Amino acid sequence: MAAFPVFPNLIARLSRQIQRRSAWAYIPKQRAGLGAAACIAAAFSASVGAQIPGSLDTSFGASGVRITSLSGADVVNSLALQPDGKIVLAGYCVVSGQEDFCVARYTTSGNLDPSFNGPGANGVGVGTGAGRFTFPVGTANDRAYAVAIDASGRVVLAGECISGGARAFCAARLNADGSFDSSFDGPGANGIGTGSGDGRFVIDLFPGGDELSAMTIQSDGKIVLAGSCIVPGQSEKGFCAARLNSDGSFDASFDGPGANGVGVGTGDGRLAFTLVGGTNVPRGATLTAIAQQPDGKLVMVGYCLDGSVIDACIARLNTDGSLDTSFVGPSAGAGRFRIPLSASGTSQVFALAFQPDGKIILAGMCSSSTTNWCVARLNANGTYDTSFGDAAGPAPGRVEYAASTNPYLGAVAVSTDGKIVLGGGCRDSGTNDFCIGRLNSDGTLDGTFDGNTPGNANGRVRFPIGSDYDVVVAIALQQDGKIVAGGICVGPLGDNDFCLARLNVGSSAAQQCRLDIDGDGEVLATTDALILARVALGSFDSSFDGLARTASARVAATDVS
């Protein structure tokens, strides 16, 4: 458990969830769905100019917010945006005294999506969830900590389930209607081949228990599950991960580091390693987030205990799972190292994002005499970016802000104009609220981001969602730049509910548009450029929206003259 006195009552209510959830900062790659026409239309939306940056979008839900009860004790851990703009929240709910995976999907207007019905009885067919539902994965308590949307529009959930009295990784994949994807079977016996999960399964990685906290879907469709495990041959926890093929079997090409972190190991789809940095050996590493860089490398972040000191720590893996020795950080780390967010005291990373130029944003909290929001920006080799920060920060490359007397920072996203959006919670005088902040690209607070109290110029907004204990756990940016924030709050009946808000971003909002119009991860003249040309010439056919990469010949043969 972390040393921070962050929302103590909330932590007591939710056990260790706030420290172990997926701090899902990674924004999934936008896949085709809204397409070029919607993206271009959004860029010219006349309504944007009237927005107050940071104000609630009153066209969403009930005056900008939506509260959803699933079971009476509901905990949100992650959020994902679908390419069509629909929003998915995932976590766990208590059903008949047992914790199960639960998920809700919302339309772009903030209403529950009635076409998302979940699995039928015993997991067969389609149920009647009407936008929200729960389901078990294992035979005991199951907690979803991460959600993502794959290239086929399926909803992938990952978490931890109790297996044989110990924690284990587990996953589920849902079709567009919420039914189980029966082709997602998991590993076979002893991790060999493919199992028979029929859409959901449990994976035991290593003896001693596996604590999943994050997931990312790679550009090639492979799924990486990540968390904290007892490293084989060690007595302490380290970072661990498993990479799955599309059918859920282990990807045998993912072998992890070799002995002492040197070279390539023999993991056959799963890995675990201790964290080493500078002259100290951090022990008891806890992973909080993972994301894939555009070059395919995986970045893993969290926090590590070295004696009595808790520091942020980070590692980067090559595509085969070996440590990337070019990732040296400020202390010659050779792929893994400590990375303090503050000049002194305790620091922890809970969220991770990438800039288009390859720089890495880390967000979390620091604590010495007070607890503050802390953000660092790293160069591609892991060293501090000295162009980031101001006189109030702890050192070049880092900034520190007092969001409230007892803040929490667990989410980050980067807009295409370089601004950095932060999400968490603020607590003063016993009141806990959603908190959203925005930084300029140099790390200074964006004074235009004032919400419904313009003129404060403090770059932060704070607002209640439910009646108490409101905290943002995940954020994402829509294609029109608006901020979607998901989290936990106490609903009308006095128990925890799924909570969602959408914020305006003002006339300067950068559209989240991509030249990769067909969503295949590449920008090519034979597909993307021709689709854009059709839009520009007024001959855009709606049948091209969501075009698959395999249709390039069809596009190339189309007359755009």
Side-chain angles (χ1 to χ4, degrees):
M1 179 66 69
F4 291 107
V6 178
F7 296 155
N9 293 329
L10 178 63
I11 293 176
R13 292 162 65 93
L14 306 181
S15 182
R16 61 197 179 89
Q17 179 269 340
I18 205 72
Q19 304 295 346
R20 293 232 30 273
R21 61 167 188 79
S22 168
W24 200 211
Y26 172 63
I27 304 173
K29 179 177 290 186
Q30 294 289 346
R31 293 291 173 182
L34 290 180
C39 196
I40 291 171
F44 291 96
S45 173
S47 64
V48 170
Q51 298 173 1
I52 300 174
S55 62
L56 287 168
D57 176 9
T58 56
S59 69
F60 182 81
S63 299
V65 304
R66 176 65 67 195
I67 300 175
T68 305
S69 176
L70 285 88
S71 70
D74 315 324
V75 178
V76 173
N77 285 322
S78 190
L79 176 154
L81 290 183
Q82 295 190 170
D84 60 3
K86 291 181 179 179
I87 304 162
V88 180
L89 291 181
Y92 62 89
C93 302
V94 177
V95 180
S96 301
Q98 181 170 299
E99 294 169 345
D100 287 337
F101 277 27
C102 53
V103 61
R105 188 167 74 192
Y106 303 83
T107 65
T108 55
S109 62
N111 298 314
L112 285 167
D113 177 10
S115 70
F116 194 56
N117 286 302
N122 298 317
V124 178
V126 185
T128 57
R132 55 185 171 183
F133 51 87
T134 68
F135 61 89
V137 178
T139 57
N141 287 335
D142 309 325
R143 293 182 171 186
Y145 285 108
V147 64
I149 312 301
D150 72 8
S152 299
R154 296 171 296 196
V155 178
V156 183
L157 301 109
E160 63 180 36
C161 301
I162 302 300
S163 174
R167 298 185 181 96
F169 283 17
C170 52
R173 190 164 69 197
L174 308 177
N175 296 311
D177 58 8
S179 60
F180 285 126
D181 174 12
S182 60
S183 70
F184 194 55
D185 286 316
N190 299 317
I192 299 172
T194 306
S196 55
D198 290 329
R200 52 182 169 174
F201 50 83
V202 179
I203 306 173
D204 285 305
L205 294 186
F206 303 103
D210 313 319
E211 301 175 355
L212 184 139
S213 50
M215 169 182 61
T216 188
I217 299 179
Q218 295 188 167
S219 57
D220 59 3
K222 293 180 179 179
I223 301 165
V224 182
L225 311 179
S228 311
C229 305
I230 300 296
V231 179
Q234 304 288 329
S235 60
E236 300 289 346
K237 289 193 303 181
F239 286 1
C240 59
R243 191 163 70 192
L244 309 179
N245 297 309
S246 181
D247 59 5
S249 61
F250 284 126
D251 173 16
S253 69
F254 191 61
D255 284 317
N260 299 318
V262 179
V264 185
T266 57
D268 292 330
R270 46 192 156 178
L271 58 86
F273 57 91
T274 56
L275 275 292
V276 177
T279 59
N280 297 316
V281 180
R283 305 174 69 83
T286 297
L287 182 140
T288 55
I290 186 171
Q292 186 187 36
Q293 294 184 165
D295 62 1
K297 294 180 180 180
L298 293 166
V299 177
M300 310 168 80
V301 301
Y303 53 92
C304 301
L305 174 64
D306 181 16
S308 61
V309 177
I310 297 176
D311 262 339
C313 49
I314 184 170
R316 189 164 71 191
L317 305 180
N318 296 310
T319 56
D320 59 6
S322 61
L323 288 167
D324 175 14
T325 56
S326 70
F327 194 57
V328 295
S331 56
R336 51 184 172 176
F337 48 85
R338 292 170 59 184
I339 189 81
L341 301 186
S342 181
S344 63
T346 294
S347 61
Q348 296 171 289
V349 172
F350 289 106
L352 163 71
F354 300 124
Q355 293 189 169
D357 61 3
K359 292 181 179 179
I360 301 168
I361 302 292
L362 306 179
M365 295 182 296
C366 304
S367 181
S368 52
S369 59
T370 60
T371 299
N372 295 324
W373 283 10
C374 288
V375 183
R377 187 164 70 195
L378 309 182
N379 296 309
N381 66 354
T383 57
Y384 289 117
D385 174 12
T386 57
S387 69
F388 185 76
D390 61 12
R398 295 169 278 181
V399 294
E400 186 171 343
Y401 296 110
S404 70
T405 59
N406 197 359
Y408 170 72
L409 176 57
V412 64
V414 180
S415 68
T416 52
D417 62 359
K419 292 187 177 182
I420 300 165
V421 181
L422 307 171
C426 294
R427 180 185 179 208
D428 288 302
S429 303
T431 301
N432 307 313
D433 293 329
F434 269 32
C435 272
I436 307 289
R438 191 166 71 182
L439 307 181
N440 296 309
S441 60
D442 62 359
T444 57
L445 285 163
D446 176 7
T448 68
F449 194 72
D450 282 336
N452 292 321
T453 55
N456 287 345
N458 64 5
R460 299 184 294 273
V461 296
R462 173 178 176 171
F463 51 92
I465 297 290
S467 60
D468 202 356
Y469 298 106
D470 306 335
V471 58
V472 174
V473 300
I475 57 175
L477 305 182
Q478 293 186 164
Q479 285 198 349
D480 61 3
K482 290 182 179 180
I483 301 165
V484 178
I488 308 162
C489 67
V490 175
L493 299 180
D495 48 29
N496 296 325
D497 287 334
F498 279 24
C499 296
L500 191 61
R502 190 165 72 192
L503 278 65
N504 296 312
V505 286
S507 59
S508 63
Q511 305 301 318
Q512 300 299 108
C513 299
R514 298 175 55 86
L515 289 178
D516 175 23
I517 295 170
D518 64 3
D520 67 343
E522 300 179 282
V523 177
L524 300 175
T526 54
T527 52
D528 306 291
L530 283 178
I531 296 171
L532 186 59
R534 287 179 59 83
V535 176
L537 294 171
S539 58
F540 182 76
D541 184 335
S542 61
S543 68
F544 283 85
D545 196 27
L547 191 68
R549 174 70 182 89
T550 53
S552 58
R554 172 182 157 217
V555 181
T558 303
D559 181 13
V560 294
S561 61

